[in-house]
Amino acid sequence: KTFFKGAGVAGLLTAAASAASAQDMTLRGASMFDEDHAFTKTMVRFAELVDEKYDGDVTFDLRLNGELGVEADYVTFLQQGVAVDYTIMAPSNMATFAPSIPLMDMPFLFRDQAHWEAVLSSDVLAPLEAELLEKADIMVVGYTGGGVRNIISNAPIANLEELNGFKMRVMGAPIQAQIFSALTAAPSAIAYNEVYNAIQTGVIAGFENEAASIQNLKFYEVAPYLTLTRHAITVRPIVMSGKTFRKLPEDLQAAVLAAGEEAGTFGRELESREDAQKLQEMADAEQLTVLEFEGREQLLDMVVPVQDSYAESLGAVELLTAIRDM
Ligand code: MAV
């Protein structure tokens, strides 16, 4: 597997390369995927919208296919203001810098798509954004996402008994491992670009992900069973390094903020619409066997205490209640 090259990073770092400066207004973006993925399309749309809204010259340099690494790398680049100026990122990949940010993508947070959309079109997540800016110097300029995350594995998992002891990869935020431990699985945090090989070599038996990414990176080749746990509807902030943003002229800053919001709406509609379609494509092509999970409601009861104590440890009980009550 060669889709994660990561080769471009060293050169960019030595090129004194926080991209934006007054003379050369180039904004560099990063995607782990090719041009067919909803994240890439959303970042392309973001660039078009900034261009439309801004009178001056600005160039976008979007690097695809994991050329600049994976999200866990991007977050460090954004925080330091080097190599990457903007991207789309799972909150759970930003946990090291802002421990409360993974609350917005913890499993079983949203009842359904209407709930998810209501939360994302409100300003209820503003306190988490403020913490991200303060602690990581990363700005949320919009929200995309909308894929449904399910379990994908090298052998069928159709009920709690089969989930018991399931060696699975989770994202780096501790809350992710806590939730899947509460479901009696055996989670470990593994870098996204190591997941394919880890399944292939039997280090893990599977992981959890959404259709767009499963299809784009061909994870079905090593994990051909997908179980509809529907444990998360993704929340994916479109983010920009604060260090980059502050260097932009004011009218470009305004264009970035407006474009981020609009690109988010575009991306949410796109990924939500394509999600079921992509799952069906993989099933039709016999790349995936899709299974229901017996007794999904039981899972909810098992994770709520974990969500509660996480929120409590962050002093975010009110916030979690506000999200649940929407
Ligand atoms: C999917 O590719 C995306 O949701 C991406 O944002 C995550 O980082 C990735 O999964 C992951 O599981 O790490």
mmCIF file of all heavy atoms in Angstrom, residues 21-48:
data_model
loop_
_atom_site.group_PDB
_atom_site.id
_atom_site.type_symbol
_atom_site.label_atom_id
_atom_site.label_comp_id
_atom_site.label_asym_id
_atom_site.label_seq_id
_atom_site.Cartn_x
_atom_site.Cartn_y
_atom_site.Cartn_z
ATOM 1 N N SER A 21 2.310 34.791 3.668
ATOM 2 C CA SER A 21 3.015 36.020 4.032
ATOM 3 C C SER A 21 2.458 37.091 3.109
ATOM 4 O O SER A 21 1.834 36.770 2.109
ATOM 5 C CB SER A 21 4.520 35.854 3.833
ATOM 6 O OG SER A 21 4.807 35.879 2.454
ATOM 7 N N ALA A 22 2.677 38.337 3.461
ATOM 8 C CA ALA A 22 2.001 39.405 2.718
ATOM 9 C C ALA A 22 2.339 39.366 1.223
ATOM 10 O O ALA A 22 1.486 39.604 0.381
ATOM 11 C CB ALA A 22 2.377 40.746 3.317
ATOM 12 N N GLN A 23 3.585 39.014 0.901
ATOM 13 C CA GLN A 23 4.005 39.030 -0.500
ATOM 14 C C GLN A 23 3.414 37.858 -1.272
ATOM 15 O O GLN A 23 2.936 37.989 -2.375
ATOM 16 C CB GLN A 23 5.537 38.952 -0.613
ATOM 17 C CG GLN A 23 6.278 40.049 0.103
ATOM 18 C CD GLN A 23 6.496 39.735 1.601
ATOM 19 O OE1 GLN A 23 5.722 39.006 2.222
ATOM 20 N NE2 GLN A 23 7.530 40.310 2.176
ATOM 21 N N ASP A 24 3.498 36.673 -0.642
ATOM 22 C CA ASP A 24 3.108 35.464 -1.345
ATOM 23 C C ASP A 24 1.912 34.863 -0.629
ATOM 24 O O ASP A 24 2.071 34.187 0.371
ATOM 25 C CB ASP A 24 4.301 34.500 -1.338
ATOM 26 C CG ASP A 24 3.867 33.087 -1.719
ATOM 27 O OD1 ASP A 24 2.875 32.967 -2.461
ATOM 28 O OD2 ASP A 24 4.506 32.132 -1.270
ATOM 29 N N MET A 25 0.712 35.160 -1.108
ATOM 30 C CA MET A 25 -0.472 34.700 -0.401
ATOM 31 C C MET A 25 -0.876 33.324 -0.911
ATOM 32 O O MET A 25 -1.775 33.191 -1.736
ATOM 33 C CB MET A 25 -1.594 35.729 -0.595
ATOM 34 C CG MET A 25 -2.679 35.634 0.437
ATOM 35 S SD MET A 25 -2.057 35.781 2.118
ATOM 36 C CE MET A 25 -1.708 37.542 2.177
ATOM 37 N N THR A 26 -0.148 32.319 -0.425
ATOM 38 C CA THR A 26 -0.483 30.947 -0.785
ATOM 39 C C THR A 26 -0.921 30.209 0.466
ATOM 40 O O THR A 26 -0.230 30.242 1.480
ATOM 41 C CB THR A 26 0.731 30.226 -1.409
ATOM 42 O OG1 THR A 26 1.084 30.888 -2.610
ATOM 43 C CG2 THR A 26 0.392 28.776 -1.733
ATOM 44 N N LEU A 27 -2.075 29.574 0.390
ATOM 45 C CA LEU A 27 -2.568 28.804 1.527
ATOM 46 C C LEU A 27 -2.486 27.325 1.179
ATOM 47 O O LEU A 27 -3.011 26.892 0.162
ATOM 48 C CB LEU A 27 -4.015 29.192 1.842
ATOM 49 C CG LEU A 27 -4.214 30.645 2.274
ATOM 50 C CD1 LEU A 27 -5.695 30.947 2.487
ATOM 51 C CD2 LEU A 27 -3.436 30.942 3.545
ATOM 52 N N ARG A 28 -1.785 26.585 2.040
ATOM 53 C CA ARG A 28 -1.607 25.167 1.754
ATOM 54 C C ARG A 28 -2.586 24.326 2.562
ATOM 55 O O ARG A 28 -2.681 24.474 3.780
ATOM 56 C CB ARG A 28 -0.168 24.734 2.039
ATOM 57 C CG ARG A 28 0.107 23.315 1.532
ATOM 58 C CD ARG A 28 1.541 22.891 1.689
ATOM 59 N NE ARG A 28 2.441 23.789 1.019
ATOM 60 C CZ ARG A 28 3.311 24.570 1.654
ATOM 61 N NH1 ARG A 28 3.418 24.536 2.949
ATOM 62 N NH2 ARG A 28 4.094 25.354 0.957
ATOM 63 N N GLY A 29 -3.291 23.431 1.849
ATOM 64 C CA GLY A 29 -4.226 22.525 2.487
ATOM 65 C C GLY A 29 -3.735 21.090 2.400
ATOM 66 O O GLY A 29 -2.829 20.785 1.623
ATOM 67 N N ALA A 30 -4.323 20.214 3.203
ATOM 68 C CA ALA A 30 -3.912 18.815 3.207
ATOM 69 C C ALA A 30 -5.126 17.907 3.292
ATOM 70 O O ALA A 30 -6.037 18.152 4.077
ATOM 71 C CB ALA A 30 -2.983 18.547 4.386
ATOM 72 N N SER A 31 -5.100 16.845 2.485
ATOM 73 C CA SER A 31 -6.145 15.819 2.534
ATOM 74 C C SER A 31 -5.479 14.444 2.550
ATOM 75 O O SER A 31 -4.496 14.231 1.856
ATOM 76 C CB SER A 31 -7.066 15.945 1.315
ATOM 77 O OG SER A 31 -7.984 14.861 1.275
ATOM 78 N N MET A 32 -6.035 13.533 3.330
ATOM 79 C CA MET A 32 -5.510 12.167 3.368
ATOM 80 C C MET A 32 -6.013 11.361 2.168
ATOM 81 O O MET A 32 -5.621 10.220 1.980
ATOM 82 C CB MET A 32 -5.964 11.460 4.648
ATOM 83 C CG MET A 32 -5.625 12.196 5.935
ATOM 84 S SD MET A 32 -5.742 11.143 7.406
ATOM 85 C CE MET A 32 -7.511 10.814 7.507
ATOM 86 N N PHE A 33 -6.899 11.979 1.366
ATOM 87 C CA PHE A 33 -7.648 11.224 0.351
ATOM 88 C C PHE A 33 -7.399 11.773 -1.052
ATOM 89 O O PHE A 33 -6.778 12.828 -1.217
ATOM 90 C CB PHE A 33 -9.143 11.305 0.688
ATOM 91 C CG PHE A 33 -9.436 10.932 2.117
ATOM 92 C CD1 PHE A 33 -9.664 11.921 3.074
ATOM 93 C CD2 PHE A 33 -9.441 9.611 2.522
ATOM 94 C CE1 PHE A 33 -9.912 11.588 4.397
ATOM 95 C CE2 PHE A 33 -9.687 9.263 3.845
ATOM 96 C CZ PHE A 33 -9.929 10.253 4.791
ATOM 97 N N ASP A 34 -7.981 11.094 -2.054
ATOM 98 C CA ASP A 34 -7.864 11.604 -3.424
ATOM 99 C C ASP A 34 -9.015 12.571 -3.722
ATOM 100 O O ASP A 34 -9.794 12.919 -2.840
ATOM 101 C CB ASP A 34 -7.764 10.440 -4.431
ATOM 102 C CG ASP A 34 -9.059 9.632 -4.548
ATOM 103 O OD1 ASP A 34 -10.138 10.138 -4.162
ATOM 104 O OD2 ASP A 34 -8.986 8.482 -5.013
ATOM 105 N N GLU A 35 -9.133 12.969 -4.999
ATOM 106 C CA GLU A 35 -10.107 14.018 -5.342
ATOM 107 C C GLU A 35 -11.559 13.577 -5.247
ATOM 108 O O GLU A 35 -12.451 14.410 -5.289
ATOM 109 C CB GLU A 35 -9.822 14.670 -6.710
ATOM 110 C CG GLU A 35 -9.445 13.752 -7.860
ATOM 111 C CD GLU A 35 -8.014 13.229 -7.733
ATOM 112 O OE1 GLU A 35 -7.075 14.020 -7.871
ATOM 113 O OE2 GLU A 35 -7.859 12.012 -7.480
ATOM 114 N N ASP A 36 -11.804 12.269 -5.103
ATOM 115 C CA ASP A 36 -13.189 11.790 -5.023
ATOM 116 C C ASP A 36 -13.793 11.875 -3.617
ATOM 117 O O ASP A 36 -14.987 11.703 -3.448
ATOM 118 C CB ASP A 36 -13.266 10.312 -5.459
ATOM 119 C CG ASP A 36 -13.046 10.163 -6.947
ATOM 120 O OD1 ASP A 36 -13.373 11.117 -7.682
ATOM 121 O OD2 ASP A 36 -12.524 9.102 -7.360
ATOM 122 N N HIS A 37 -12.965 12.069 -2.616
ATOM 123 C CA HIS A 37 -13.476 12.048 -1.235
ATOM 124 C C HIS A 37 -14.178 13.360 -0.892
ATOM 125 O O HIS A 37 -13.758 14.438 -1.338
ATOM 126 C CB HIS A 37 -12.310 11.809 -0.268
ATOM 127 C CG HIS A 37 -12.735 11.463 1.133
ATOM 128 N ND1 HIS A 37 -13.159 12.421 2.031
ATOM 129 C CD2 HIS A 37 -12.801 10.279 1.790
ATOM 130 C CE1 HIS A 37 -13.463 11.823 3.186
ATOM 131 N NE2 HIS A 37 -13.244 10.526 3.070
ATOM 132 N N ALA A 38 -15.221 13.264 -0.088
ATOM 133 C CA ALA A 38 -15.991 14.458 0.288
ATOM 134 C C ALA A 38 -15.114 15.530 0.965
ATOM 135 O O ALA A 38 -15.349 16.730 0.778
ATOM 136 C CB ALA A 38 -17.146 14.062 1.205
ATOM 137 N N PHE A 39 -14.107 15.110 1.746
ATOM 138 C CA PHE A 39 -13.246 16.121 2.398
ATOM 139 C C PHE A 39 -12.499 16.931 1.338
ATOM 140 O O PHE A 39 -12.400 18.155 1.432
ATOM 141 C CB PHE A 39 -12.196 15.461 3.310
ATOM 142 C CG PHE A 39 -12.714 14.885 4.600
ATOM 143 C CD1 PHE A 39 -14.070 14.716 4.836
ATOM 144 C CD2 PHE A 39 -11.812 14.494 5.586
ATOM 145 C CE1 PHE A 39 -14.524 14.158 6.030
ATOM 146 C CE2 PHE A 39 -12.263 13.942 6.782
ATOM 147 C CZ PHE A 39 -13.604 13.772 7.010
ATOM 148 N N THR A 40 -11.949 16.222 0.354
ATOM 149 C CA THR A 40 -11.196 16.916 -0.696
ATOM 150 C C THR A 40 -12.125 17.867 -1.458
ATOM 151 O O THR A 40 -11.791 19.040 -1.683
ATOM 152 C CB THR A 40 -10.563 15.895 -1.660
ATOM 153 O OG1 THR A 40 -9.805 14.957 -0.899
ATOM 154 C CG2 THR A 40 -9.663 16.591 -2.670
ATOM 155 N N LYS A 41 -13.305 17.354 -1.827
ATOM 156 C CA LYS A 41 -14.251 18.199 -2.573
ATOM 157 C C LYS A 41 -14.665 19.426 -1.756
ATOM 158 O O LYS A 41 -14.860 20.506 -2.300
ATOM 159 C CB LYS A 41 -15.504 17.383 -2.940
ATOM 160 C CG LYS A 41 -15.223 16.359 -4.025
ATOM 161 C CD LYS A 41 -16.473 15.592 -4.394
ATOM 162 C CE LYS A 41 -16.155 14.630 -5.547
ATOM 163 N NZ LYS A 41 -17.208 13.635 -5.732
ATOM 164 N N THR A 42 -14.790 19.241 -0.457
ATOM 165 C CA THR A 42 -15.181 20.361 0.405
ATOM 166 C C THR A 42 -14.050 21.397 0.490
ATOM 167 O O THR A 42 -14.305 22.607 0.472
ATOM 168 C CB THR A 42 -15.578 19.828 1.798
ATOM 169 O OG1 THR A 42 -16.666 18.913 1.628
ATOM 170 C CG2 THR A 42 -16.000 20.944 2.734
ATOM 171 N N MET A 43 -12.815 20.922 0.529
ATOM 172 C CA MET A 43 -11.698 21.877 0.563
ATOM 173 C C MET A 43 -11.527 22.596 -0.774
ATOM 174 O O MET A 43 -11.147 23.765 -0.811
ATOM 175 C CB MET A 43 -10.411 21.168 0.988
ATOM 176 C CG MET A 43 -10.402 20.900 2.491
ATOM 177 S SD MET A 43 -8.807 20.303 3.088
ATOM 178 C CE MET A 43 -9.107 18.549 3.080
ATOM 179 N N VAL A 44 -11.834 21.909 -1.868
ATOM 180 C CA VAL A 44 -11.805 22.559 -3.183
ATOM 181 C C VAL A 44 -12.891 23.642 -3.242
ATOM 182 O O VAL A 44 -12.648 24.776 -3.676
ATOM 183 C CB VAL A 44 -12.000 21.508 -4.316
ATOM 184 C CG1 VAL A 44 -12.265 22.178 -5.653
ATOM 185 C CG2 VAL A 44 -10.780 20.585 -4.390
ATOM 186 N N ARG A 45 -14.063 23.302 -2.736
ATOM 187 C CA ARG A 45 -15.181 24.267 -2.692
ATOM 188 C C ARG A 45 -14.824 25.474 -1.810
ATOM 189 O O ARG A 45 -15.115 26.614 -2.154
ATOM 190 C CB ARG A 45 -16.440 23.548 -2.162
ATOM 191 C CG ARG A 45 -17.708 24.357 -2.192
ATOM 192 C CD ARG A 45 -18.251 24.507 -3.612
ATOM 193 N NE ARG A 45 -19.233 25.580 -3.672
ATOM 194 C CZ ARG A 45 -19.170 26.637 -4.479
ATOM 195 N NH1 ARG A 45 -18.180 26.765 -5.349
ATOM 196 N NH2 ARG A 45 -20.098 27.567 -4.460
ATOM 197 N N PHE A 46 -14.194 25.198 -0.691
ATOM 198 C CA PHE A 46 -13.742 26.266 0.221
ATOM 199 C C PHE A 46 -12.841 27.251 -0.537
ATOM 200 O O PHE A 46 -13.038 28.474 -0.469
ATOM 201 C CB PHE A 46 -13.004 25.634 1.406
ATOM 202 C CG PHE A 46 -12.289 26.591 2.311
ATOM 203 C CD1 PHE A 46 -12.991 27.504 3.090
ATOM 204 C CD2 PHE A 46 -10.897 26.582 2.391
ATOM 205 C CE1 PHE A 46 -12.323 28.395 3.942
ATOM 206 C CE2 PHE A 46 -10.217 27.465 3.235
ATOM 207 C CZ PHE A 46 -10.940 28.368 4.005
ATOM 208 N N ALA A 47 -11.893 26.726 -1.282
ATOM 209 C CA ALA A 47 -10.965 27.583 -2.040
ATOM 210 C C ALA A 47 -11.721 28.425 -3.070
ATOM 211 O O ALA A 47 -11.488 29.634 -3.201
ATOM 212 C CB ALA A 47 -9.909 26.716 -2.723
ATOM 213 N N GLU A 48 -12.647 27.784 -3.783
ATOM 214 C CA GLU A 48 -13.441 28.520 -4.786
ATOM 215 C C GLU A 48 -14.226 29.654 -4.130
ATOM 216 O O GLU A 48 -14.300 30.768 -4.657
ATOM 217 C CB GLU A 48 -14.469 27.581 -5.447
ATOM 218 C CG GLU A 48 -13.892 26.602 -6.438
ATOM 219 C CD GLU A 48 -14.908 25.506 -6.815
ATOM 220 O OE1 GLU A 48 -16.091 25.552 -6.363
ATOM 221 O OE2 GLU A 48 -14.499 24.592 -7.547
#
